[in-house]
């Protein structure tokens, strides 16, 4: 059984094998994984979904991301009515690879059900003081559907269709923390983390684009929407102990913070534990 930091990585990579899941293709490329029950539901939509020895594929007649996205939107609406998922009203791009071309779009709420890649951004808000490194954290609202009341990065969010990671970061930083675009433009891309997590809704195959931003001491983040209750500035040692010893942080935020601890030398990156953790942070790649 994993303990300490490693248990968080294990929790985000809890799929022992895709055996029993049905591959989902767009053209020749596999883009996702389906639960058998959902695949059987799609079998009743033969105009848009075809079955063969490879699994399930969007119909070849659907050419271009727009036409494929429309077919998937109609299927997602039907699946929502049938109780398979809950629509979020926010389209995400579907790619076979993180940097590949956009093949279609799919409602964010249906992304786990289809087991397709999703991408998001996380920002470490750093304050470097004479007494050491401090980190801004956000307390998630208690009515959030995911990880209510847990601690989060100062800024984090999924990348919606049509936006880059950098554009998403600027958007989320303004919406969640009231950070000025000219400040956020100074954020440094530092890591790309990944995991494959089996959840009740299906599979989370997430790519996290991680940024560091040095925040001046005279800048205080302030909630701009109902996503965050409040922000707190913690010494990094307190953050490290909380990640190691508690479950107070949102599941994937633990991974972002472990990556920060490794890069800052708070966990020895060259030791056996550090090397193992670094490998686990990219287990979904």
């Amino acid at each position: 059984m994993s303990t300490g930091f490693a248990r968080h990585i294990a929790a985000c990579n809890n799929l022992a094998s895709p055996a029993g899941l049905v591959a989902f293709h767009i053209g020749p490329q596999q883009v996702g994984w389906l639960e058998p029950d959902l695949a059987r539901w799609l079998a009743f939509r033969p105009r848009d979904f075809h079955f063969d020895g490879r699994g399930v594929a969007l119909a070849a007649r659907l050419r271009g991301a727009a036409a494929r996205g429309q077919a998937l939107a109609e299927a997602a609406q039907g699946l929502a009515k049938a109780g398979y998922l809950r629509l979020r009203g926010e389209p995400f791009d579907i790619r076979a690879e993180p940097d590949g071309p956009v093949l279609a779009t799919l409602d964010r709420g249906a992304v786990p059900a289809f087991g397709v890649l999703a991408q998001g951004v996380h920002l470490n808000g750093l304050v470097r003081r004479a007494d050491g490194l401090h980190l801004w954290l956000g307390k998630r609202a208690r009515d959030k559907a995911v990880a209510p009341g847990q601690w989060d990065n100062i800024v984090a969010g999924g990348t919606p269709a049509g936006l880059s990671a950098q554009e998403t970061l600027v958007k989320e930083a303004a919406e969640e923390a009231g950070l000025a675009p000219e400040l956020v433009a100074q954020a440094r891309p530092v890591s790309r983390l990944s995991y494959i997590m089996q959840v009740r809704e299906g599979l989370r195959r997430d790519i996290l684009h991680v940024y560091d931003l040095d925040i001046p001491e005279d800048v205080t983040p302030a909630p701009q929407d109902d996503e965050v209750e409040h922000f707190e500035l913690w010494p990094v040692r307190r953050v490290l102990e909380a990640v190691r010893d508690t479950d107070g942080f949102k599941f994937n935020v633990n991974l972002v913070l472990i990556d920060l601890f490794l890069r800052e030398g708070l966990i020895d990156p060259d030791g056996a534990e550090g090397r193992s953790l670094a490998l686990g942070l990219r287990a979904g790649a």
Side-chain angles (χ1 to χ4, degrees):
M1 179 178 176
S2 298
T3 58
F5 299 114
R7 68 194 164 91
H8 296 303
I9 295 175
C12 287
N13 292 281
N14 62 354
L15 180 70
S17 165
L21 300 177
V22 179
F24 175 51
H25 290 78
I26 295 178
Q29 296 179 289
Q30 183 179 347
V31 297
W33 293 98
L34 307 170
E35 292 284 353
D37 284 351
L38 191 147
R40 280 192 287 271
W41 189 93
L42 294 176
F44 291 96
R45 304 181 71 92
R47 181 170 177 270
D48 293 334
F49 297 91
H50 293 170
F51 288 71
D52 58 27
R54 300 183 306 157
V56 182
L58 272 179
R61 67 173 183 81
L62 297 167
R63 298 188 177 277
R68 296 168 186 149
Q70 181 60 37
L72 286 169
E74 292 172 2
Q77 289 166 6
L79 287 163
K81 289 178 182 177
Y84 284 90
L85 52 88
R86 182 174 62 89
L87 297 177
R88 300 279 294 273
E90 183 179 18
F92 272 26
D93 288 326
I94 295 180
R95 294 176 165 90
E97 302 290 339
D99 300 315
V102 176
L103 303 175
T105 56
L106 179 65
D107 187 277
R108 182 176 189 171
V111 164
F114 281 83
V116 299
L117 286 174
Q119 303 195 50
V121 298
H122 283 251
L123 179 68
N124 292 308
L126 310 175
V127 179
R128 299 185 186 274
R129 292 178 166 176
D131 60 345
L133 178 64
H134 290 62
L135 191 67
W136 279 108
L137 303 173
K139 186 78 164 180
R140 292 171 66 84
R142 297 180 191 277
D143 60 355
K144 291 280 288 181
V146 177
Q150 291 191 297
W151 290 104
D152 206 335
N153 288 111
I154 184 175
V155 174
T159 301
L163 291 189
S164 67
Q166 180 68 36
E167 290 166 338
T168 302
L169 184 67
V170 172
K171 167 181 167 292
E172 293 290 335
E175 293 176 354
E176 292 184 357
L179 298 180
E182 54 270 23
L183 174 61
V184 181
Q186 300 173 33
R188 303 178 298 280
V190 290
S191 299
R192 188 159 81 173
L193 313 180
S194 58
Y195 57 89
I196 302 177
M197 185 180 190
Q198 194 160 29
V199 295
R200 181 176 55 83
E201 300 83 3
L203 278 188
R204 291 190 62 137
R205 298 173 57 222
D206 291 348
I207 307 292
L208 308 182
H209 299 267
V210 182
Y211 293 79
D212 284 355
L213 175 63
D214 292 312
I215 297 181
E217 290 201 47
D218 61 352
V219 173
T220 300
Q224 303 296 304
D225 55 22
D226 57 1
E227 305 264 325
V228 179
E229 285 188 0
H230 67 277
F231 293 97
E232 291 185 13
L233 184 64
W234 288 18
V236 73
R237 179 58 61 176
R238 179 184 172 190
V239 181
L240 181 143
E241 292 170 354
V243 171
R244 185 189 61 202
D245 302 332
T246 78
D247 294 313
F249 286 83
K250 180 173 177 272
F251 61 93
N252 57 5
V253 174
N254 289 301
L255 275 56
V256 175
L257 295 173
I258 291 168
D259 175 68
L260 175 68
F261 303 151
L262 287 166
R263 289 187 289 104
E264 290 288 332
L266 297 163
I267 302 172
D268 181 5
D270 298 319
E273 181 188 29
R275 293 196 304 271
S276 176
L277 291 172
L279 190 63
L281 291 174
R282 292 156 183 84

